[in-house]
Amino acid sequence: MAVSVKKTRRDRRRAGATARGTDGLRRALAERVDGEIRFDPGSRAAYSHDASNYRRPPIGVVVPRTVEAGAETVRVCAEHDVPVLSRGGGTSLAGQCVNEAVVIDWSKYCHRLLSVDPDARRAVVEPGACLDDLNDELSAHGLMVGPKPSTHDTCTIGGMIGNNSCGASAQAYGKTADSVARLEVLTYDGLRMWVGETSDEDYEAVQAAGGRRAEIYRALRALRDDGMELVRTRYPDIPRRVSGYNLDALLPEKHFDVARALVGSEGTLVTVLRAEIRLVPVPAHEALVVLGYDDIAAAGDAVPRVLPSRPLALEGMDDTLLDLAEQDHLAGPDVLAEMPEGAGWLMVRLGGGTRDEVDERARALIRDMRSGPNPPRCGFLHDPAEEERLWRVREAGLGATAYPPGHPDTHEGWEDAAVPPDRLGDYLRDFRALIREFRYDPVALYGHFGQGCVHTRIPFDLADQSGAARYREFAGRAARLVASYGGSLSGEHGDGQSRGELLPVMFGAEVVRLFERLKAIFDPGDRMNPGKIVHPYRLDENLDRLAYHPAEPDTHFSFPGDRHRFTHAAARCVGIGRCRASSGGVMCPSYRVTGEEEHSTRGRARVLMEMMRGMPGGAPPGDGLPDPSAPGPAGAAVITAGWRSEHVRDALDLCLACKGCRSDCPVNVDMATYKAEFLAHHYRHRIRPPAHYTMGWLPVWARIAALAPGAANTALHLPVLAGIGKRAGGIDPRRDLPRFARRRFTDRFKDRPPRRGGGRRVVLWPDTFTDAFHPHIGEAAVRVLEAAGYRVEVPPVPLCCGLTWISTGQFGVAARVLRRTVRALAPRLREGVPVVGLEPSCTAVFRADAPELMEGDPLEDDVRRLRDQTRTLAELLDEHQRETGGASPLASHDVVAGLDTPRVRAIAQPHCHQHAIMGFGADRRVLSRAGVEVAVLDAGCCGLAGNFGFEAGHYETSTAIAEQGVWTAVRDAAPGTAVLADGFSCRTQIEAGTAARPRHLAELLAGLLPEDGR
């Protein structure tokens, strides 16, 4: 995943940064470890959180380049008696992945698939291998890893082993422990060995060899023999017992499996270096049956009747989750139409060798369920696309439930209990009663119902001591409820800090003492992820929100989705980590190139939250809350320079401001807006980078260049002058600057002969990029709109949306520019005239940025009108075609465009801002009606992203992003395929790296018009 890019100021600063009292450790790591050694505040801030309620800034972070380097890291830490914490995807929900320790991040470099034996169905992998990426490699053999957590696009094999992860597919394939054949592990005191099942002969060989390994195995056998009866009687006999250590794996009937015993130990016993994994065949065909019930408990009652059908997965969800998914636009009308009537549903995924086989299995299940008691309403999906849409709603549970509109924020903390599946319905009733007793309702209930595992997020008040005490009381009551059902406190998320303290409730004190013995065997000094499972921190210690009470700053954006509070926006990330996925969607392009946590949306969000935590003027001492400025369990602030912090600036430097996270992030973190806000404060009354004056003021320079475009182009492209200008303007010398058009679109439009006739009025917005660089696109749009019956108007004076000033945090200028624009458009806006934008980034300003920036302005009402009346070209044509029932942009003239010519084939690269704000659905529909077969690329951001790719220091990242995605896709397109790209940045980047000549939608549609319509 990681691509080498030029070192940034942050990288150079890291080399010399130290944490207080750790100089000797840092120096030893730097001298002996082949990896990136980071003790700087930015890195410590990025790794101070996982997806849990807890915060523990690490001592430092090591990113080893090889497994050997990771092992050497442990040796160095042992010599300095420093705790160690291995980390993969960092998505742990119980606090396993945060600690005051040296964090070893395996995910950036140690992710190789080392070997595959297709016949034996085995693979050897490194701990940092991402599950989805690994399965992509294994798919060539028709194999995959069985367990598939909902974070499959970001979780790592090492993290799955540490957590004993499951996911929906555990219904068919079991937990991660069931997939692990052998592990190569390293103890804190330096023993390195492969472990797995141990026969009596193997045991005797270990004892004959002597040494530390023999000592460990003797102690493990003694532990097993002493605790055999307790393990057999106290361990719940359920499919989802994840809590506690896997002492049952040491029983004789389990073949004294040391590897399996270590799975789920959360990094508290050993460091996993490599893993040999059992693989399973990829199902040939799948079908999805959805069963609707009157409530979620009734759905739970039905689980035992579904299990004989041997499903690949059996999931449950309630109407609260579906409603939240609908409000969050995760469940559209097509998904809702597929759901049978009800308020609680079971989603049954079935597999088979042939389509007929799996369809018959689905029909048989429906017949059986309808013929029994409490027959459900049934839905049957066998279209893979339909299945995937519906399945994503269930997988999006955590994100959809985090910030329910009109209700308090929700948290993990009791989100993962599992009970016997045949008692699930009754447990759900009792659990809901407990929720109501504590007045935490309504909450969404969902999970892996086929194995009795229930997920939820609860609105605990973790921001003050009384709320934390009530959370503690609830967790104790909930633990006793689960134990009364013979269940497990954790069904897949692990114990960590959330549940470690409660293990005696589930297992009893005697079994917990066995856990302590196991810990002492492998880690007698308690240096491996201390405070988790054994001798745990209290569940109400180290609570992140309890120590987060910064003063609310004055901001330029209004942050309406965060209750108008930047402090809430900065803490919005819940750690799911989808921004770390290597493919699919837009988020996060810089992470995909660097593989760097601090370059992910999550990493940047954590750094911003730490910046706010360290802001002066927070909660006053003496109010019962931890003081974030002082050392303590809730933490001294890591970043204390506030808006002036260079560490925050450097973390945001490689953010492309693509807005992909605004739509792709499950909780809609909007890093582009956060970055712009930060830049405004950071550079207030200070000299800005040169690019802020060149690219940031582009509309002004374009207007000046229009006076003599030929001279401007000559000056900007003569080698000597261009080189001097680029260096002075902060532009990378390898970038070719776009050429100004000889005549602007607005000037050409003024000189057009008057058009006769009526038609609906529409304002065509002359953005700077169309007007100054690509006026032919504006002319094409006029032809298309007029052919569709519109009367096109173009503002007679130069106007701007303020995009370039917004993206560089120059809000004073941006606001003045927007006010001028809104005043000029106000008469038309008040008459209801729509505004059509051709450049997606400028259109997105009107639709999103402007209303959030201008809230409270005297022109606020007109800004809202502009938001509501702005359309993309495709959106306007789509609305018009739906109203008229036409098949093309020319339907109102009874002319069908494109259908009397050979079908056009195109690939489309949607602009990131369009992806995030407007979407591409209207474009698909308009192109289809025009007879264009379009394949929409899922290649991510183009990498240019406005000023980003032009700026000095960004070229390597920008081109690496393009090489990973759009450049490769365009080069691989079949000959004669049109390349569609509405964004000026997208077209510029495609032209820079391919031989293609990309076109705007307006150009493509205009080319389909009959000659008399052009």
Side-chain angles (χ1 to χ4, degrees):
M1 176 187 296
V3 175
S4 177
V5 299
K6 188 176 180 179
K7 284 181 179 284
T8 64
R9 288 170 299 191
R10 183 210 59 229
D11 299 317
R12 292 191 290 273
R13 185 176 297 108
R14 277 179 175 155
T18 60
R20 187 177 305 153
T22 60
D23 285 3
L25 171 64
R26 184 196 60 80
R27 283 196 301 270
L29 289 167
E31 290 168 1
R32 293 170 50 183
V33 173
D34 178 18
E36 299 168 13
I37 315 301
R38 304 172 180 174
F39 283 66
D40 61 286
S43 295
R44 295 180 62 231
Y47 286 86
S48 61
H49 304 254
D50 53 10
S52 72
N53 296 324
Y54 304 102
R55 169 190 178 265
R56 297 298 303 279
I59 296 169
V61 178
V62 176
V63 184
R65 291 190 175 88
T66 65
V67 167
E68 301 305 321
E72 187 65 17
T73 301
V74 177
R75 295 186 191 100
V76 173
C77 289
E79 291 171 9
H80 287 77
D81 193 31
V82 171
V84 172
L85 167 60
S86 282
R87 178 165 165 141
T91 57
S92 297
L93 285 152
Q96 300 96 312
C97 273
V98 291
N99 217 328
E100 189 175 349
V102 170
V103 170
I104 304 175
D105 184 347
W106 298 95
S107 64
K108 184 173 181 178
Y109 296 114
C110 300
H111 47 65
R112 291 185 302 160
L113 170 61
L114 300 173
S115 65
V116 184
D117 185 340
D119 296 329
R121 294 180 182 170
R122 299 283 181 95
V124 177
V125 299
E126 293 178 338
C130 170
L131 178 60
D132 270 6
D133 296 342
L134 176 60
N135 279 336
D136 284 346
E137 291 190 74
L138 294 171
S139 64
H141 305 284
L143 299 171
M144 67 180 190
V145 179
K148 188 178 182 181
S150 62
T151 54
H152 49 83
D153 51 358
T154 59
C155 69
T156 65
I157 291 297
M160 292 174 66
I161 291 168
N163 225 47
N164 199 6
S165 298
C166 304
S169 62
Q171 183 74 43
Y173 306 119
K175 304 184 289 287
T176 296
D178 300 302
S179 294
V180 170
R182 297 190 306 146
L183 295 176
E184 185 185 15
V185 300
L186 176 68
T187 63
Y188 189 78
D189 57 11
L191 175 64
R192 184 168 174 172
M193 58 183 172
W194 279 92
V195 297
E197 292 185 355
T198 311
S199 66
D200 290 342
E201 293 78 9
D202 294 332
Y203 180 81
E204 293 303 327
V206 169
Q207 296 306 307
R212 174 70 169 128
R213 183 174 189 178
E215 176 188 322
I216 288 174
Y217 274 61
R218 281 197 305 275
L220 289 176
R221 180 168 281 197
L223 172 63
R224 179 200 69 183
D225 293 344
D226 293 345
M228 192 179 301
E229 190 62 28
L230 283 171
V231 171
R232 285 176 173 155
T233 58
R234 298 282 180 86
Y235 270 50
D237 184 19
I238 59 174
R240 283 293 186 105
R241 196 277 307 156
V242 169
S243 280
Y245 289 132
N246 290 335
L247 296 180
D248 55 332
L250 299 176
L251 296 173
E253 60 268 28
K254 298 290 183 67
H255 312 292
F256 197 71
D257 192 337
V258 179
R260 192 182 180 109
L262 293 172
V263 173
S265 58
E266 301 180 0
T268 63
L269 302 180
V270 297
T271 298
V272 174
L273 302 178
R274 295 181 179 89
E276 183 177 326
I277 304 294
R278 298 182 179 95
L279 307 175
V280 298
V282 176
H285 297 276
E286 296 180 354
L288 185 65
V289 173
V290 184
L291 308 175
Y293 294 88
D294 291 339
D295 67 10
I296 193 65
D301 291 334
V303 165
R305 294 191 52 227
V306 178
L307 290 176
S309 66
R310 295 177 292 108
L312 295 176
L314 174 48
E315 302 290 283
M317 69 176 184
D318 66 5
D319 55 340
T320 302
L321 175 58
L322 190 63
D323 289 346
L324 290 172
E326 182 182 9
Q327 293 175 52
D328 241 2
H329 307 293
L330 298 170
D334 51 348
V335 170
L336 299 175
E338 292 159 359
M339 298 293 291
E341 183 182 347
W345 295 271
L346 294 179
M347 301 167 63
V348 190
R349 177 168 273 175
L350 301 165
T354 66
R355 171 51 57 193
D356 289 345
E357 176 191 350
V358 74
D359 286 355
E360 177 51 37
R361 291 187 64 195
R363 286 189 285 268
L365 173 63
I366 291 172
R367 287 195 298 269
D368 181 62
M369 299 304 293
R370 282 176 170 166
S371 64
N374 191 17
R377 280 77 64 184
C378 302
F380 173 25
L381 290 78
H382 51 78
D383 180 341
E386 292 178 351
E387 288 181 43
E388 186 60 25
R389 282 197 298 270
L390 190 52
W391 203 257
R392 283 179 183 170
V393 174
R394 162 58 195 89
E395 282 194 337
L398 194 160
T401 58
Y403 299 106
H407 295 281
D409 299 347
T410 65
H411 302 278
E412 54 280 353
W414 193 264
E415 80 298 334
D416 187 40
V419 297
D422 60 356
R423 303 189 67 188
L424 178 59
D426 288 339
Y427 168 74
L428 287 168
R429 294 180 182 91
D430 287 345
F431 183 59
R432 285 197 301 186
L434 182 65
I435 292 283
R436 287 193 294 269
E437 178 185 337
F438 277 76
R439 297 183 180 178
Y440 286 142
D441 56 323
V443 301
L445 297 174
Y446 56 99
H448 313 296
F449 278 21
Q451 296 189 317
C453 182
V454 179
H455 293 327
T456 187
R457 285 178 67 91
I458 299 173
F460 301 123
D461 180 4
L462 303 180
D464 61 52
Q465 296 286 11
S466 61
R470 190 160 177 77
Y471 157 56
R472 180 180 183 83
E473 180 187 358
F474 175 86
R477 290 276 302 279
R480 290 189 288 275
L481 175 63
V482 168
S484 73
Y485 272 86
S488 174
L489 309 184
S490 171
E492 67 176 343
H493 295 164
D495 298 317
Q497 186 168 347
S498 295
R499 288 171 280 273
E501 184 185 359
L502 299 170
L503 290 176
V505 176
M506 173 181 166
F507 288 104
E510 293 174 295
V511 171
V512 170
R513 283 195 288 272
L514 294 179
F515 294 163
E516 294 170 356
R517 283 180 61 182
L518 183 68
K519 171 76 168 176
I521 290 169
F522 283 99
D523 180 31
D526 195 21
R527 300 285 82 187
M528 300 293 295
N529 201 13
K532 312 297 165 67
I533 303 180
V534 168
H535 309 302
Y537 297 115
R538 297 190 315 273
L539 61 85
D540 53 352
E541 270 186 282
N542 308 320
L543 288 171
D544 177 24
R545 300 304 174 101
L546 196 58
Y548 185 70
H549 296 275
E552 192 63 44
D554 292 330
T555 57
H556 302 273
F557 282 107
S558 61
F559 301 100
D562 289 285
R563 304 168 197 155
H564 303 278
R565 294 167 51 210
F566 183 75
T567 54
H568 189 274
R572 187 172 189 81
C573 174
V574 296
I576 297 171
R578 188 166 297 168
C579 46
R580 290 169 51 96
S582 62
S583 62
V586 171
M587 178 182 69
C588 177
S590 55
Y591 175 81
R592 290 181 183 178
V593 165
T594 67
E596 173 58 54
E597 173 71 18
E598 209 171 324
H599 295 159
S600 69
T601 303
R602 180 179 71 182
R604 294 182 177 112
R606 298 315 196 190
V607 171
L608 281 170
M609 185 180 185
E610 290 302 308
M611 179 192 79
M612 295 309 302
R613 188 188 306 277
M615 283 281 195
D623 64 354
L625 298 172
D627 180 0
S629 66
V638 177
I639 294 175
T640 56
W643 296 112
R644 298 298 198 195
S645 170
E646 294 182 357
H647 297 289
V648 179
R649 181 201 63 195
D650 292 347
L652 293 172
D653 180 56
L654 291 187
C655 171
L656 283 77
C658 68
K659 286 190 178 290
C661 48
R662 179 160 174 151
S663 59
D664 292 1
C665 171
V667 295
N668 308 118
V669 167
D670 184 2
M671 193 53 61
T673 298
Y674 305 169
K675 177 180 180 178
E677 186 71 47
F678 173 83
L679 292 175
H681 294 272
H682 184 75
Y683 289 111
R684 185 171 180 262
H685 303 316
R686 302 169 85 184
I687 299 297
R688 289 172 166 269
H692 286 202
Y693 300 107
T694 53
M695 306 303 295
W697 284 70
L698 179 64
V700 171
W701 309 131
R703 197 170 304 167
I704 294 172
L707 301 174
N713 287 331
T714 299
L716 291 174
H717 292 87
L718 282 176
V720 175
L721 287 177
I724 294 172
K726 289 175 184 177
R727 283 192 297 273
I731 296 170
D732 192 282
R734 290 162 289 186
R735 279 290 179 191
D736 289 331
L737 295 174
R739 293 181 176 273
F740 293 102
R742 287 194 286 181
R743 199 150 183 257
R744 293 184 301 180
F745 164 66
T746 47
D747 294 331
R748 299 183 188 189
F749 187 83
K750 288 177 189 175
D751 293 345
R752 296 174 76 227
R755 292 296 191 267
R756 296 180 181 178
R760 293 186 183 181
R761 298 166 62 198
V762 62
V763 173
L764 182 60
W765 174 251
D767 63 87
T768 296
F769 306 100
T770 302
D771 193 36
F773 296 101
H774 291 166
H776 59 281
I777 291 174
E779 293 177 317
V782 171
R783 292 197 298 273
V784 171
L785 289 168
E786 290 182 342
Y790 285 97
R791 180 154 54 94
V792 179
E793 301 175 9
V794 174
V797 295
L799 299 172
C800 182
C801 68
L803 168 69
T804 58
W805 288 288
I806 291 172
S807 62
T808 53
Q810 301 181 74
F811 293 135
V813 181
R816 289 196 297 273
V817 167
L818 276 168
R819 289 188 192 101
R820 185 169 184 267
T821 292
V822 171
R823 288 191 188 102
L825 294 178
R828 295 178 177 87
L829 294 172
R830 293 168 188 171
E831 293 172 6
V833 179
V835 176
V836 170
L838 298 177
E839 170 56 41
S841 55
C842 298
T843 309
V845 168
F846 290 160
R847 292 274 281 268
D849 296 316
E852 295 170 18
L853 184 62
M854 304 296 286
E855 186 170 312
D857 191 271
L859 296 175
E860 181 180 6
D861 290 343
D862 285 325
V863 173
R864 287 178 180 155
R865 291 187 184 98
L866 179 59
R867 175 196 63 194
D868 297 339
Q869 292 169 223
T870 295
R871 303 285 187 272
T872 66
L873 176 63
E875 287 174 337
L876 186 77
L877 294 174
D878 185 44
E879 291 173 6
H880 177 66
Q881 291 164 7
R882 290 190 190 193
E883 290 173 6
T884 60
S888 78
L890 309 184
S892 61
H893 286 246
D894 298 319
V895 177
V896 179
L899 301 185
D900 56 349
T901 62
R903 292 184 69 84
V904 176
R905 288 176 173 81
I907 57 173
Q909 168 71 6
H911 190 284
C912 297
H913 290 195
Q914 178 168 356
H915 171 88
I917 304 298
M918 290 86 71
F920 202 75
D923 299 70
R924 288 179 186 268
R925 293 187 292 272
V926 168
L927 287 165
S928 176
R929 295 184 192 117
V932 178
E933 294 179 0
V934 61
V936 181
L937 299 179
D938 188 18
C941 180
C942 73
L944 190 60
N947 58 298
F948 175 86
F950 283 99
E951 292 181 2
H954 293 166
Y955 181 82
E956 289 86 355
T957 302
S958 173
T959 54
I961 291 168
E963 202 64 70
Q964 281 186 349
V966 66
W967 281 355
T968 300
V970 170
R971 291 172 192 146
D972 290 345
T977 301
V979 178
L980 188 62
D982 281 5
F984 178 78
S985 292
C986 304
R987 294 193 300 273
T988 302
Q989 184 82 317
I990 290 170
E991 289 173 346
T994 74
R997 192 285 215 190
R999 288 188 279 173
H1000 191 283
L1001 173 67
E1003 294 180 86
L1004 192 149
L1005 293 178
L1008 296 175
L1009 296 174
E1011 290 296 328
D1012 59 355
R1014 298 186 187 181

